[in-house]
Amino acid sequence: MTAAERIRQVEERHVGSRQVRILLVEGSSDVEAYGLLLERHRPGSDGKVAVAEAGGKREVCQILGSRPNWFGLLDHDEWTEARAQAELKKHPNLRLLPRYCLESYLINPRELWRALPPAQQSRIQGGEEAFESALLTDLDRYLRHGALWHTVRPLWDVLMGLDFTNALASKYSVNAAQSDDAIKATLAGWQAALDPDKAFGAFQRNLASAQAAPLHERLANWVHGKVYFNQHVCAALNPMLGQGKSVTWRTELFKGLPIAPDLAALFEDILALAR
């Protein structure tokens, strides 16, 4: 779906007689979650802000370019700080989640325990201490994965800047294919961007930073929240509280999760813009 088609769809669904401001998020599951969390944080907010799917990061930014009176809310995830600041400068109504992704609010056992009703808490043998231990069992493994993700994902932006793979393998690269020197120069650029020693050194520095961070920061910003929640947290919850799919756990936990201070501050910022 093109940006123009998405804009038309959002306007038909949300704009008209309703005096609401549009908050664009990345995917359809985000629409449900943010709508639920905003309403829990500030009852009646759904009458002021309509949450709508854009389709992804790029689409949110594209649409804000032509609808600057709308708002956008994105996961921070793979964007480098430099990329994040550049996008925020370009789009004044864009906001980034304070944590890696939305699921990062569902992986800290000290926060998650408070999302469980007392009846569920009482079913967990060993109480909160056992709950925390189960949810943190594989943290070191996922911390390495997160540090590697932080290292590798920005390389994709670098490669895109080098026109990978269009430079040599597209319908537009016929002329480039005629010159050995041009081919070698392009390959050399890719090799420099993907220098293994440089990349592995960056991974080691990221891992050291992640391991040295306090527990809350490791879970909020270093672990890939979606992966950790889907693969580990749900697997830990099932034997304690009964089998459930990750999408079911996600919805149920958000219904009871206390709104974290950093998320509350973000919501207040968005609601202030919508006045």
Side-chain angles (χ1 to χ4, degrees), residues 142-152 202-203 206-208 210 222:
Y142 285 92
L143 205 59
R144 283 184 63 88
H145 167 263
L148 188 59
W149 190 281
H150 277 274
T151 304
V152 172
F203 163 66
N206 280 333
L207 181 58
W222 282 106

Side-chain angles (χ1 to χ4, degrees), residues 75 77-78 97 99-108 139 142-143 145-147 149-150 217-234 246 250 254:
D75 292 346
D77 50 40
E78 68 255 27
L97 202 64
R99 304 190 190 184
Y100 186 87
C101 64
L102 188 55
E103 284 80 6
S104 298
Y105 289 92
L106 297 176
I107 64 175
N108 188 322
L139 179 58
Y142 285 92
L143 205 59
H145 167 263
W149 190 281
H150 277 274
E217 188 177 331
R218 277 179 274 162
L219 292 167
N221 298 315
W222 282 106
V223 167
H224 190 304
K226 189 184 297 287
V227 173
Y228 194 69
F229 176 74
N230 288 338
Q231 293 187 9
H232 178 68
V233 172
C234 292
S246 60
R250 185 179 188 267
F254 274 137

Side-chain angles (χ1 to χ4, degrees), residues 84-118:
Q85 291 305 317
E87 295 294 343
L88 290 171
K89 184 177 180 180
K90 189 185 305 181
H91 305 290
N93 281 355
L94 178 65
R95 296 295 184 268
L96 295 183
L97 202 64
R99 304 190 190 184
Y100 186 87
C101 64
L102 188 55
E103 284 80 6
S104 298
Y105 289 92
L106 297 176
I107 64 175
N108 188 322
R110 295 171 189 175
E111 296 176 337
L112 209 54
W113 177 258
R114 292 179 292 153
L116 301 179

Side-chain angles (χ1 to χ4, degrees), residues 20 33 74 87 103 105 150 160 165 211 230 239-240 258 269:
V20 296
L74 301 177
E87 295 294 343
E103 284 80 6
Y105 289 92
H150 277 274
M160 289 298 96
T165 59
Q211 291 172 332
N230 288 338
M240 291 188 285
D269 182 25

Side-chain angles (χ1 to χ4, degrees), residues 20-37:
V20 296
R21 302 291 292 275
I22 302 299
L23 175 63
L24 297 170
V25 295
E26 296 180 49
S28 57
S29 62
D30 295 328
V31 172
E32 178 187 13
Y34 280 118
L36 173 65
L37 291 169

